[in-house]
């Protein structure tokens, strides 16, 4: 066996021992059909693991917009946006993103990951210090690394530490990177105070709104809710693949930032443009969210139920995170819950910054509160049994699915 093959085998054994094996198994999670009374959907899982916070990925209005865009522009963008890949649907999407978030200009990328790589590499370099919160998403960490900037990391949420780092910098420019709602723990950044510190030190603040848009501020995001939309020193990135129910990403801020990204962001220039169907679906999602703040309220209402039933403090966004402890226990509970009909996320090291493994439960606007009560109850029961060392209860989600059929939006 070659050295590489040997190493791959060893790595696989280590993952299995640590309980950190990931897989790409397809799952049948068409919950909306079950909620609508489709008996063929009886066997589907109740999905509390996805990021489709508003249930828009299966909304007929988004599907119609995507199909129409395919008819008009084709199934692919065919080239980089700076060659021939820009279609009118990209301009439409960027305008809708601006309208939703209150930002002056937007640039769509092919993913949120690409947007984060693009903005940090385009703003960074030896003359720019990048200072980021320790809980930042992998795409922000990678963007900072790739930028060739000096990088400082501050303890999660420690704004006094941020202030000190900026005060002692030697670089002429600095960029601070935070998430509006953090992806694992679901807690919110103090954006007003962070922006104030950034202004004091003549620093640009980049806020990743991946988990904020569609959920915070009635759907317009946490930057808008903090009264910072349009502030010259606050820019944001977004994904189109969570609350917006589509695929892709964006960077938003002043027109000068957009122009700089078009000309220098490698993950924009050397990447095929966002597929027209995804752009059209996301544009439609922006219109729906802007017109209906009750969607965001429904997410937070269901999040409150999960937090209450599981006995945890409610996190700021859709994602509620239930500490379990050992990675193997978290993985085992996720499997048992799936057997019982509920799909939950499972965060294990190295994804969890503090090393405590967690079940990750996502509140969705399109689930009936009764469904969420039942599913969260199942989770709470299993976690309690694990903690007490008693047998983990077996039982299905049928009752919840039934109630869902009656009561889902
Ligand atoms: C905070 C954060 N930023 C960026 C991303 C990447 O977005 P995308 O999935 O569109 O690449 C994610 C999601 O995975 C995320 O949670």
């Amino acid at each position: 066996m070659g050295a590489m093959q040997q190493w791959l085998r060893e790595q696989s054994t280590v993952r299995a021992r640590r309980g950190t094996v990931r897989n790409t198994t397809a799952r049948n999670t068409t919950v909306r059909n079950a909620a609508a009374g489709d008996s063929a959907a009886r066997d589907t899982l109740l999905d509390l693991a996805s990021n489709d916070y508003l249930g828009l990925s299966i909304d007929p209005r988004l599907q119609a917009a995507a199909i129409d865009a395919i008819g008009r522009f084709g199934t692919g963008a065919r080239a980089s946006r700076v060659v021939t890949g820009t279609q009118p649907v990209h301009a439409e999407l960027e305008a809708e993103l601006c309208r939703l978030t209150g930002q002056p200009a937007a640039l769509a990328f092919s993913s949120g990951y690409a947007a984060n790589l693009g903005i940090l590499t385009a703003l960074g370099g030896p003359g720019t210090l990048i200072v980021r919160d320790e809980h930042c998403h992998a795409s922000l960490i990678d963007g900072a690394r790739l930028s060739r900037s000096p990088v400082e990391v501050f303890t999660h949420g420690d704004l006094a530490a941020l202030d000190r780092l900026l005060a002692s910098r030697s670089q002429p420019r600095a960029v601070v990177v935070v998430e509006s709602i953090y992806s694992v723990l679901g807690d919110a950044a103090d954006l007003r105070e962070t922006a104030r510190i950034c202004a004091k030190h003549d620093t640009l603040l980049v806020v990743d709104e991946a988990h904020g848009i569609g959920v915070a501020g009635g759907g317009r995001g946490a930057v808008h809710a903090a009264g910072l939309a349009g502030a010259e020193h606050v820019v944001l990135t977004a994904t189109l693949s969570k609350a917006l129910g589509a695929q892709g990403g964006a960077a938003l801020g002043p027109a000068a930032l957009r122009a700089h990204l078009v000309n220098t962001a490698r993950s924009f220039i050397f990447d095929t443009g966002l597929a027209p169907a995804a752009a059209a679906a996301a544009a439609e999602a922006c219109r729906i969210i802007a017109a209906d703040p009750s969607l965001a309220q429904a997410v937070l209402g269901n999040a409150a139920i999960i937090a209450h039933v599981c006995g945890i403090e409610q996190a700021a966004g859709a994602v509620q995170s239930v500490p379990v402890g050992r990675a193997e226990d978290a993985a085992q509970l996720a499997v048992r819950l799936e057997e019982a009909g509920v799909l939950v996320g499972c965060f294990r090291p190295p994804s969890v910054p503090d090393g405590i493994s967690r079940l990750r439960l996502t509140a969705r606007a399109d689930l009936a509160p009764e469904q969420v009560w039942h599913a969260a109850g199942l989770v709470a029961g299993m976690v309690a049994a694990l903690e007490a060392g008693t047998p983990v209860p077996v039982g299905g989600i049928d009752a919840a699915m039934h109630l869902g059929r009656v009561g889902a939006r």
Side-chain angles (χ1 to χ4, degrees):
M1 189 187 299
M4 185 53 81
Q5 288 71 23
Q6 174 71 29
W7 181 76
L8 288 174
R9 184 177 281 196
E10 284 162 14
Q11 291 299 302
S12 163
T13 310
V14 169
R15 283 193 296 274
R17 200 175 53 238
R18 290 186 182 151
T20 59
V21 178
R22 299 172 199 271
N23 67 60
T24 54
T25 310
R27 277 148 172 138
N28 188 8
T29 56
T30 50
V31 285
R32 171 161 290 231
N33 296 340
D38 175 358
S39 58
R42 201 181 298 262
D43 296 333
T44 61
L45 295 166
L46 184 68
D47 183 2
L48 295 185
S50 87
N51 300 311
D52 188 11
Y53 301 144
L54 306 181
L56 289 179
S57 77
I58 48 174
D59 188 292
R61 292 166 292 182
L62 269 71
Q63 292 174 349
I67 291 164
D68 177 62
I70 289 173
R72 284 194 292 151
F73 307 114
T75 48
R78 292 186 284 269
S80 162
R81 294 276 307 275
V82 294
V83 185
T84 59
T86 296
Q87 307 282 358
V89 71
H90 294 116
E92 179 193 333
L93 166 64
E94 289 166 1
E96 292 300 344
L97 282 166
C98 290
R99 257 194 285 281
L100 179 68
T101 59
Q103 291 293 328
L107 184 67
F109 286 72
S110 62
S111 71
Y113 198 106
N116 281 341
L117 282 197
I119 196 166
L120 293 187
T121 51
L123 295 172
T128 303
L129 173 69
I130 293 184
V131 187
R132 68 162 182 86
D133 187 286
E134 67 173 331
H135 283 193
C136 278
H137 187 259
S139 54
L140 297 166
I141 297 172
D142 294 353
R145 280 186 190 145
L146 264 180
S147 72
R148 301 178 194 204
S149 280
V151 179
E152 296 282 359
V153 179
F154 61 96
T155 305
H156 180 52
D158 185 349
L159 297 185
L162 170 66
D163 194 25
R164 283 194 299 276
L165 283 168
L166 291 176
S168 61
R169 79 171 196 250
S170 55
Q171 296 77 11
R173 293 175 302 283
V175 171
V176 167
V177 188
V178 299
E179 291 176 30
S180 58
I181 296 176
Y182 284 90
S183 45
V184 181
L185 302 186
D187 56 328
D190 181 346
L191 291 181
R192 278 205 195 101
E193 182 57 10
T194 310
R196 190 193 66 75
I197 292 169
C198 287
K200 177 173 128 191
H201 296 289
D202 186 19
T203 296
L204 186 74
L205 173 60
V206 175
V207 183
D208 182 340
E209 282 261 49
H211 301 270
I213 287 178
V215 175
R220 294 179 184 274
V223 171
H224 190 280
L228 293 167
E232 211 182 22
H233 72 300
V234 181
V235 303
L236 50 114
T237 61
T239 173
L240 315 180
S241 64
K242 300 191 194 297
L244 298 185
Q247 186 100 29
L252 300 103
L257 171 79
R258 185 184 188 280
H260 184 69
L261 294 177
V262 168
N263 286 282
T264 61
R266 293 165 67 85
S267 61
F268 179 78
I269 298 168
F270 300 103
D271 191 32
T272 296
L274 178 64
E284 181 63 12
C286 290
R287 286 187 283 267
I288 291 170
I289 295 167
D292 186 3
S294 77
L295 284 169
Q297 281 158 17
V299 176
L300 297 177
N302 281 339
I305 294 173
I306 293 175
H308 175 74
V309 174
C310 294
I312 53 170
E313 196 181 323
Q314 184 179 352
V319 174
Q320 306 298 308
S321 139
V322 182
V324 171
R326 295 191 318 147
E328 308 85 276
D329 290 339
Q332 194 218 346
L333 278 192
V335 171
R336 299 298 294 274
L337 283 162
E338 187 170 342
E339 285 163 7
V342 181
L343 196 57
V344 302
C346 176
F347 273 170
R348 294 157 286 175
S351 308
V352 276
D354 57 6
I356 297 172
S357 294
R358 292 180 153 75
L359 295 180
R360 179 183 186 273
L361 276 61
T362 306
R364 296 212 329 261
D366 61 330
L367 293 178
E370 294 88 338
Q371 277 179 299
V372 180
W373 273 101
H374 276 78
L378 210 61
V379 175
M382 287 199 188
V383 172
L386 181 86
E387 280 167 1
T390 52
V392 172
V394 229
I397 192 71
D398 280 1
M401 293 301 269
H402 174 70
L403 282 164
R405 255 174 251 147
V406 177
R409 292 162 61 97

